[in-house]
Amino acid sequence: MNGQALNSGNIVEFIADIFERRGAESYLGEPVTMSEHMLQGAWLAEQDGAPDELVAAALLHDIGHYTSEFGTYSPDDVEDKHHDEAGGEVLAPFFPPVIVECVRLHVSAKRYLCATDPTYFGKLSPASVHTLSLQGGPMSAEEVAEFRRNPFHEEAVRVRIWDEGGKVANMKTRAFRDYAPLLERVVRKFAAEKAA
């Protein structure tokens, strides 16, 4: 933002700018762009009647691809870039914990689902299968138990399901700017709660 410090008054515009400048980048070998993928996740969340916070989490779940100092994903990668952690970290000052945790846990949720739902692995795209191997594969029983201890693990699983569903070429969704009012409401509410 031209050297301007990020705050609750400008974070949504900052994210909108990222979507507009970088959203057309390819998404991990999928038939959609980065912005199409994230918009599809938000659209699927809306279609499921999700609350604003989960629509926002689905929309922003891959924001770490834009903020990670580790660079973008390539099918040739041999180690994970931790975009989930980077995304959670950048959102934490401005968004409530449920959103931050859903972003932070969406990779873990894939690993969890692969360990606990025998049908889930078959739903993964080839690129998602590849990244699963980089991310540690299906969770162990101990990792499953640890994941379930997170108070937002069920919400993270919902976001993960919308994430996996958001890889459809030519799917019609709303534009990012259509979600700006929702994001502004969530940010304002969280800022008011922090100030109280």
Side-chain angles (χ1 to χ4, degrees), residues 5-196:
L6 290 176
N7 58 55
S8 60
N10 65 16
I11 186 63
V12 173
E13 184 57 35
F14 179 76
I15 294 170
D17 179 64
I18 291 171
F19 264 76
E20 289 166 1
R21 282 185 301 102
R22 299 195 50 202
E25 292 176 9
S26 68
Y27 176 64
L28 313 178
E30 302 289 358
V32 293
T33 66
M34 287 294 298
S35 63
E36 287 169 339
H37 169 65
M38 292 190 284
L39 289 165
Q40 287 180 20
W43 178 251
L44 293 169
E46 280 187 303
Q47 300 313 298
D48 272 358
D52 284 355
E53 289 81 4
L54 293 189
V55 173
L59 178 64
L60 302 175
H61 77 274
D62 271 340
I63 197 73
H65 283 296
Y66 298 128
T67 59
S68 175
E69 66 186 49
F70 302 109
T72 57
Y73 166 84
S74 161
D76 299 324
D77 284 346
V78 294
E79 70 181 63
D80 186 40
K81 306 261 193 219
H82 304 286
H83 74 282
D84 48 347
E85 295 288 341
E89 186 176 320
V90 76
L91 296 178
F94 313 107
F95 290 89
V98 65
I99 294 173
V100 173
E101 287 299 289
C102 285
V103 170
R104 194 178 70 76
L105 293 173
H106 78 276
V107 167
S108 294
K110 174 173 68 173
R111 297 183 60 227
Y112 169 82
L113 283 166
C114 286
T116 61
D117 177 349
T119 67
Y120 190 74
F121 184 85
K123 298 173 185 174
L124 298 179
S125 69
S128 204
V129 169
H130 176 70
T131 58
L132 175 66
S133 70
L134 303 179
Q135 296 156 342
M139 286 184 169
S140 67
E142 295 80 21
E143 289 171 318
V144 166
E146 178 68 24
F147 181 79
R148 287 179 175 155
R149 283 193 280 278
N150 185 293
F152 302 111
H153 77 276
E154 290 176 356
E155 291 88 346
V157 166
R158 289 181 73 191
V159 168
R160 179 66 219 183
I161 290 167
W162 300 318
D163 171 4
E164 200 59 46
K167 300 174 182 179
V168 179
N170 304 312
M171 177 191 274
K172 295 293 181 209
T173 65
R174 299 196 305 148
F176 181 86
R177 293 278 177 189
D178 295 327
Y179 290 103
L182 178 148
L183 294 175
E184 294 282 358
R185 282 193 308 274
V186 170
V187 167
R188 275 195 311 272
K189 180 180 175 193
F190 181 60
E193 289 169 359
K194 282 192 344 185

